[in-house]
Amino acid sequence: MGRKIGLIACSKSKLGAETPDRLFRAQDIYQGRTFKRAKTEGLKMYGCEDWFILSGKEDYNLLDKDAQIKYYDVYLGKQGAAYKERWAKAVVGKLRQNGFDLKDDEFYIFGGASYYEPLLPFLSNCVVFGFRGSSNILLEEPVTYRNGRRVS
């Protein structure tokens, strides 16, 4: 197994709604409970060596945590199949550009099914997490996927 890489889904709660032209560091703009918990607890709990943000906005898709971005309001779960396919291919392309091995590296995806399901066909080793309610991520209950199939 290669490196452990964290992918944290963006959140609806963001800074900047009142100042839409203002730039924020990607890791700071998202204010959702799940995002914050994944960032402060999940990455450490699973020993992720690096991490990125999965943004539902097609132009952003995979964000470096230090990228400068503006407020937006796009939820991937409300997008159609073609959008999600383009989004997933863009995310995978950026992962490759960053030197990640899609077959050997292990990707810990902290986000709901809307954010991990489109990626499963492309990533050989994934660990995802369920939710209790809409914003309580179950970090202690990982689900592992190998080659798109659930194994635990």
Side-chain angles (χ1 to χ4, degrees), residues 19-59:
T19 55
D21 290 329
R22 182 174 169 201
L23 290 171
F24 295 88
R25 229 172 27 150
Q27 66 180 309
D28 298 331
I29 197 170
Y30 303 105
Q31 298 295 301
R33 174 195 229 174
T34 295
F35 182 88
K36 287 181 174 183
R37 185 160 183 238
K39 185 172 81 166
T40 60
E41 297 176 40
L43 296 171
K44 291 177 192 162
M45 185 180 292
Y46 292 97
C48 295
E49 299 166 43
D50 201 357
W51 67 281
F52 295 82
I53 299 162
L54 295 172
S55 168
K57 184 173 180 178
E58 194 171 12
D59 296 3

Side-chain angles (χ1 to χ4, degrees), residues 51-95:
W51 67 281
F52 295 82
I53 299 162
L54 295 172
S55 168
K57 184 173 180 178
E58 194 171 12
D59 296 3
Y60 289 166
N61 49 67
L62 183 74
L63 290 167
D64 183 279
K65 57 192 159 287
D66 293 318
Q68 295 288 314
I69 63 170
K70 294 178 183 180
Y71 174 85
Y72 66 95
D73 186 15
V74 177
Y75 172 51
L76 188 60
K78 290 186 177 181
Q79 308 307 314
Y83 183 102
K84 290 177 185 176
E85 185 177 342
R86 285 190 313 272
W87 175 86
K89 287 179 179 179
V91 168
V92 167
K94 284 187 179 177
L95 289 170

Side-chain angles (χ1 to χ4, degrees), residues 92-110:
V92 167
K94 284 187 179 177
L95 289 170
R96 285 187 178 119
Q97 287 173 2
N98 280 286
F100 296 114
D101 185 332
L102 304 184
K103 292 190 185 290
D104 200 37
D105 290 336
E106 190 164 36
F107 296 90
Y108 288 76
I109 303 176
F110 302 93

